[in-house]
Structure formats: structure tokens, C-alpha cells
């Protein structure tokens, strides 16, 4: 078994652990840096009442805390299923070097985890989305953006 396969097996085992603990859906993730696991997570949506507690997000939070950073430069993500749109966005923000996945989005849809509506919504114009998206208060909020832009001691990311 290759190292990559071993890390994926750990992600799959975490997905099983989450199912056995009734924590949430059947998803697990590990994050690896320099051949060592630095982050672990399994889906905890229903056990924490947190719709963002997907395995990848939990693992990213764990890895970033352990590494003392907000980015995962040089890291590898091993996830038991192709990341959903939210997790994919979180992974891109974290900037690892590679994502490995086992099950695909069609496998997830077949057991009730269908993200196709979200993919479709992302490609729609805002006025055609199922949940209304309405701009409000930009004249005040833009001032904070201007403050950020001129801030000299900010940490960019």
C-alpha cells in the first residue's frame, strides 16, 4: 500500500467513525504535511448543529490550529468523498498543494447528499437564485473596505 493509500484509508476510517458515533454524514478527511498527519476530521453536522462542520472544514481547522497558520501551504488533503462546493471553497482558501478524494459527487448523491442544486445556483444570476440575494448597506460597508485597503499593518492572505 502506498503512503497516499494509507492516508486515504485513514480518511475513510474517520468517515466510518463519524457514522458509528452518529456525528453526521459518512465523510472523513485527513491533512498531511511532510508525510505526517497534521489534521483530522469527520462530519459533525448533526451532532454539533453546525451546517459547516463537514469533514474537510473540521480537518482544516484542526490542521491550521496545530500548524499555527491560516494556510496549508505544502499540505495534502485526503477526503473520503469529492468535496462539496463549500468544502472546495474552504480548501482553495487554505491553499494546499493537492486534493485526493475517494467517492465522487454522484456516489454522494446516490445516498442523499446531492449538491447539484448548489452547483446550479452558483452559475445562476443572483436575481434567478432560489434564495434571494439582495444588496443592502454598501455605502457603509465600503468604508470598512477602504480602511482595510489603507491599513499598513494588515496581514494579507
Amino acid at each position: 500500500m502506498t503512503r497516499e493509500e494509507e492516508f486515504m484509508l485513514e480518511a475513510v476510517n474517520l468517515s466510518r467513525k463519524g457514522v458509528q458515533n452518529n456525528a453526521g454524514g459518512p465523510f472523513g478527511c485527513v491533512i498531511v504535511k511532510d508525510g505526517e498527519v497534521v489534521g483530522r476530521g469527520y462530519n459533525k453536522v448533526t451532532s454539533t448543529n453546525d451546517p459547516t462542520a463537514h469533514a474537510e472544514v473540521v480537518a482544516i481547522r484542526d490542521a491550521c490550529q496545530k500548524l499555527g497558520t491560516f494556510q496549508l501551504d505544502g499540505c495534502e488533503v485526503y477526503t473520503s468523498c469529492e468535496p462539496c462546493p463549500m468544502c472546495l471553497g474552504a480548501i482553495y482558501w487554505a491553499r494546499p498543494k493537492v486534493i485526493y478524494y475517494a467517492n465522487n459527487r454522484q456516489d454522494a448523491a446516490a445516498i442523499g447528499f446531492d449538491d447539484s442544486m448548489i452547483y446550479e445556483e452558483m452559475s445562476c444570476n443572483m436575481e434567478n437564485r432560489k434564495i434571494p440575494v439582495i444588496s443592502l448597506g454598501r455605502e457603509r460597508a465600503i468604508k470598512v473596505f477602504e480602511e482595510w485597503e489603507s491599513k499598513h499593518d494588515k496581514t494579507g492572505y
Side-chain angles (χ1 to χ4, degrees):
M1 184 179 295
T2 67
R3 292 287 286 159
E4 289 85 1
E5 290 169 328
E6 288 176 13
F7 294 133
M8 184 57 75
L9 180 58
E10 185 167 352
V12 170
N13 287 337
L14 282 168
S15 72
R16 181 173 287 113
K17 181 178 178 180
V19 169
Q20 292 170 343
N21 291 343
N22 290 321
F27 306 98
C29 181
V30 296
I31 298 175
V32 175
K33 183 163 187 161
D34 300 326
E36 299 294 323
V37 175
V38 294
R40 290 177 174 83
Y42 56 81
N43 185 290
K44 296 181 179 182
V45 169
T46 58
S47 61
T48 62
N49 294 321
D50 180 354
T52 69
H54 290 201
E56 296 91 339
V57 172
V58 172
I60 288 168
R61 290 173 179 164
D62 186 41
C64 287
Q65 183 178 7
K66 286 178 181 164
L67 295 172
T69 183
F70 52 84
Q71 291 186 334
L72 299 175
D73 297 324
C75 291
E76 302 168 352
V77 175
Y78 294 83
T79 181
S80 67
C81 187
E82 180 181 353
C84 74
M86 177 187 71
C87 292
L88 188 60
I91 291 167
Y92 269 82
W93 278 113
R95 296 180 176 89
K97 67 179 181 178
V98 66
I99 305 165
Y100 296 96
Y101 69 93
N103 296 319
N104 61 40
R105 68 174 85 166
Q106 293 81 12
D107 298 326
I111 63 163
F113 295 92
D114 188 354
D115 298 324
S116 61
M117 183 275 291
I118 298 171
Y119 286 106
E120 291 166 11
E121 286 287 289
M122 290 169 56
S123 64
C124 285
N125 292 329
M126 283 198 268
E127 60 273 4
N128 296 327
R129 292 186 179 170
K130 292 180 176 151
I131 298 175
V133 181
I134 303 163
S135 179
L136 178 67
R138 182 176 179 271
E139 58 281 346
R140 288 194 178 101
I142 198 71
K143 290 179 182 359
V144 181
F145 276 19
E146 292 164 356
E147 290 172 26
W148 170 259
E149 187 174 37
S150 63
K151 188 173 174 57
H152 297 290
D153 62 344
K154 63 186 170 197
T155 300
Y157 58 98

